[in-house]
Amino acid sequence: MMISSGMNPFINAQGFDRIGMLTVVLGAIVNMILDPIFIFVFYLRKNYDYYRLYS
Protein backbone atom coordinates (compact mmCIF):
# COMPACT_ATOMS: atom_id res chain seq x y z
CA MET A 1 0.00 0.00 0.00
CA MET A 2 2.69 2.46 0.94
CA ILE A 3 4.73 1.75 -2.17
CA SER A 4 1.75 2.09 -4.52
CA SER A 5 0.42 5.26 -2.91
CA GLY A 6 3.88 6.75 -2.45
CA MET A 7 5.22 5.93 -5.90
CA ASN A 8 1.97 6.57 -7.77
CA PRO A 9 2.51 10.36 -8.18
CA PHE A 10 5.97 9.68 -9.66
CA ILE A 11 4.51 7.16 -12.10
CA ASN A 12 1.77 9.61 -13.12
CA ALA A 13 4.23 12.51 -13.45
CA GLN A 14 6.30 10.55 -15.95
CA GLY A 15 3.27 10.15 -18.19
CA PHE A 16 2.27 6.61 -17.32
CA ASP A 17 -1.28 7.40 -16.22
CA ARG A 18 -2.72 4.00 -17.07
CA ILE A 19 -0.05 2.16 -15.10
CA GLY A 20 -0.69 4.40 -12.09
CA MET A 21 -4.42 3.76 -12.29
CA LEU A 22 -3.83 0.04 -12.79
CA THR A 23 -1.70 -0.21 -9.64
CA VAL A 24 -4.43 1.42 -7.55
CA VAL A 25 -7.17 -0.78 -8.99
CA LEU A 26 -5.12 -3.97 -8.59
CA GLY A 27 -4.31 -3.05 -5.00
CA ALA A 28 -7.99 -2.55 -4.23
CA ILE A 29 -8.97 -5.86 -5.84
CA VAL A 30 -6.25 -7.79 -4.02
CA ASN A 31 -7.32 -6.13 -0.77
CA MET A 32 -10.97 -7.16 -1.31
CA ILE A 33 -9.92 -10.75 -1.96
CA LEU A 34 -7.37 -11.15 0.84
CA ASP A 35 -9.19 -9.33 3.67
CA PRO A 36 -11.94 -11.94 4.18
CA ILE A 37 -9.40 -14.74 3.87
CA PHE A 38 -7.16 -13.28 6.57
CA ILE A 39 -10.08 -12.33 8.83
CA PHE A 40 -12.24 -15.44 8.66
CA VAL A 41 -9.96 -18.26 7.48
CA PHE A 42 -6.78 -17.42 9.40
CA TYR A 43 -8.66 -15.75 12.30
CA LEU A 44 -6.59 -12.59 12.10
CA ARG A 45 -9.16 -10.37 13.78
CA LYS A 46 -8.52 -7.45 16.04
CA ASN A 47 -9.80 -9.12 19.22
CA TYR A 48 -9.34 -12.78 18.41
CA ASP A 49 -9.41 -13.89 22.07
CA TYR A 50 -12.78 -12.23 22.59
CA TYR A 51 -14.32 -13.90 19.53
CA ARG A 52 -12.85 -17.28 20.43
CA LEU A 53 -14.12 -17.20 24.01
CA TYR A 54 -17.57 -15.64 23.53
CA SER A 55 -18.84 -16.82 20.18
Side-chain angles (χ1 to χ4, degrees):
M1 178 66 188
M2 291 302 293
I3 292 176
S4 66
S5 63
M7 296 300 290
N8 209 14
F10 295 110
I11 294 171
N12 290 335
Q14 293 177 0
F16 300 110
D17 297 332
R18 291 186 184 195
I19 294 175
M21 182 178 62
L22 184 64
T23 58
V24 172
V25 171
L26 285 176
I29 291 171
V30 168
N31 192 16
M32 287 189 292
I33 293 170
L34 289 181
D35 273 352
I37 293 172
F38 285 136
I39 292 170
F40 298 114
V41 175
F42 297 129
Y43 300 107
L44 295 178
R45 299 179 188 168
K46 185 174 181 180
N47 293 323
Y48 173 66
D49 292 332
Y50 175 81
Y51 287 107
R52 185 179 58 175
L53 294 173
Y54 299 110
S55 61

